[in-house]
DNA sequence: CACCCGTGGAG
DNA sequence: TCTCCAAGGGT
């Protein structure tokens, strides 16, 4: 075995994280195997998302849909509602499609190879390799952001990302052992998450400290080298929170693709780079006495949104293209965070009754 | 390859 | 306050 792998696995046996979806080294020795459904579900949720944020969603999904067939049979709206707040909603749409495919075309069993997994919706290079290694003991090179950081530091690779990806992949492949490839992958990620961190890495505790080229150069934080990213533009718009006297809220469903695709929303204007908000009231979904309730700011990946929030209590509930949802069941709606923020701005108590 | 796609916590 | 960015994938 590659000496890096041997050193890392020894470190992992002693210092690995305990995670809800993980089968640790000790349990594996007792014969326990990772459930591919659990591995897949966790990997999809963990895409660009912190372990801390994922834990509660993972437990909720697993309790509600214990097997992939259950998820395949679920209503898409319920899956989107359960995913609400986690972000990157295309993941939820692909999660559902993938579950349906596995249930209908693979007899409820996930493919056990990289190629078979990668053919499924929502599974790319990283996730296919991770599931193949962790659930099926395939020695695939698992490269995520943690691994990129560890490897670029270990070998002082100063080519900027993403151009360095092929080199990082090759280096990772060379290190990956035939035995325990899943533990090796998780060990690399644990190392990146707990020791080889983006800032102020704890090199003194690193199993690679004697061999790390970046540490030898006395500047591990210089790696990985990344190109500067573009500034985040500002977009503006207005949101209209309409309430009936008996406590129902006007909601719509966004189109299935694109930003917040398939999620619920209150009616809004378009989100553009315009700076005037004077014609907002004219863009309202119906004529009423709209009261300005202030502005909210929400930061998306590639732009910042400033929404003027308007509120009205309308006795007339006939509106085209929407539904009046009871405030008491807002917790069951697929409302993304930005919409919860807008609703709370107009109706401060809207979600308080739902919190437990 | 470049761009789109959320959210919240850490420093 | 502000910047960074977390187990990336789709187009």
């Amino acid at each position: 075995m590659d000496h890096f792998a041997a050193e890392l696995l020894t470190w992992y046996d002693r210092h690995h994280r305990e995670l809800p979806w993980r089968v640790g080294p000790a349990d594996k020795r007792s014969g326990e195997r990772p459930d591919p459904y659990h591995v897949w579900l966790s990997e999809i949720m963990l895409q660009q998302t912190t372990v801390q944020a994922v834990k509660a969603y993972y437990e909720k999904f697993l309790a509600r849909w214990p097997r992939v067939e259950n998820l395949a049979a679920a209503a898409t709206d319920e899956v989107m509602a359960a995913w609400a707040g986690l972000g990157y909603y295309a993941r939820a749409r692909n999660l559902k499609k993938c579950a349906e495919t596995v249930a209908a075309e693979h007899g409820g069993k996930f493919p056990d190879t990289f190629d078979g997994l990668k053919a499924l919706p929502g599974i790319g290079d990283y996730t296919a390799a991770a599931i193949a290694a962790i659930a099926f003991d395939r020695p695939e090179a698992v490269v995520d952001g943690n691994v990129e950081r560890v490897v670029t530091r270990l070998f002082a690779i100063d080519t900027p990302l993403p151009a360095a990806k092929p080199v990082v992949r090759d280096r990772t492949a060379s290190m990956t052992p035939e035995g325990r490839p899943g533990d090796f992958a998780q060990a690399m990620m644990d190392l990146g998450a707990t020791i080889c961190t983006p800032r102020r890495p704890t090199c003194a505790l690193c199993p690679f400290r004697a061999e790390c080229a970046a540490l030898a150069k006395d500047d591990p934080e210089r790696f990985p080298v990344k190109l500067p990213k573009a500034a985040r533009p500002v977009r503006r718009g207005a949101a209209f929170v309409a309430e009936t006297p008996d406590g129902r809220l006007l909601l719509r469903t966004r189109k299935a693709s694109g930003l917040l695709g398939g999620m619920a929303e209150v009616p809004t204007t378009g989100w553009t780079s315009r700076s005037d908000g004077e014609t907002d009231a004219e863009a309202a979904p119906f004529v009423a006495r709209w009261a300005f309730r202030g502005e909210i700011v929400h930061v998306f990946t590639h732009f910042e949104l400033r929404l003027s929030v308007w509120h009205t209590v309308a006795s007339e509930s006939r509106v085209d293209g929407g539904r009046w949802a009871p405030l008491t069941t807002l917790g069951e709606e697929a409302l993304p965070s930005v919409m919860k923020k807008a609703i709370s701005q107009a109706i401060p108590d809207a979600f308080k009754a739902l919190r437990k």
Side-chain angles (χ1 to χ4, degrees), chain A residues 242-299:
Chain A
E243 193 180 3
T244 60
D246 63 332
R248 290 176 297 143
L249 205 58
L250 179 59
L251 296 182
R252 294 177 173 169
T253 299
R254 294 176 62 86
K255 64 183 173 72
S257 63
L259 186 69
L260 308 178
M263 301 296 284
E265 66 171 2
V266 297
T268 74
T269 63
W271 302 345
T272 68
S273 57
R274 77 195 173 87
S275 56
D276 67 291
E278 294 167 6
T279 59
D280 278 349
E282 298 173 10
F286 55 87
V287 176
R289 293 184 50 177
W290 292 94
F292 180 64
R293 297 299 192 194
E295 184 184 74
I296 63 162
V297 178
H298 188 81
V299 180

Side-chain angles (χ1 to χ4, degrees), chain A residues 149 153 191-192 194-206 215 219-223:
Chain A
R149 188 167 56 254
R153 285 175 179 173
L191 187 68
T194 64
I195 303 288
C196 194
T197 50
R199 282 162 297 188
R200 296 182 59 87
T202 318
C203 299
L205 301 179
C206 182
L215 181 57
D219 192 11
E221 284 190 45
R222 186 162 78 80
F223 304 92

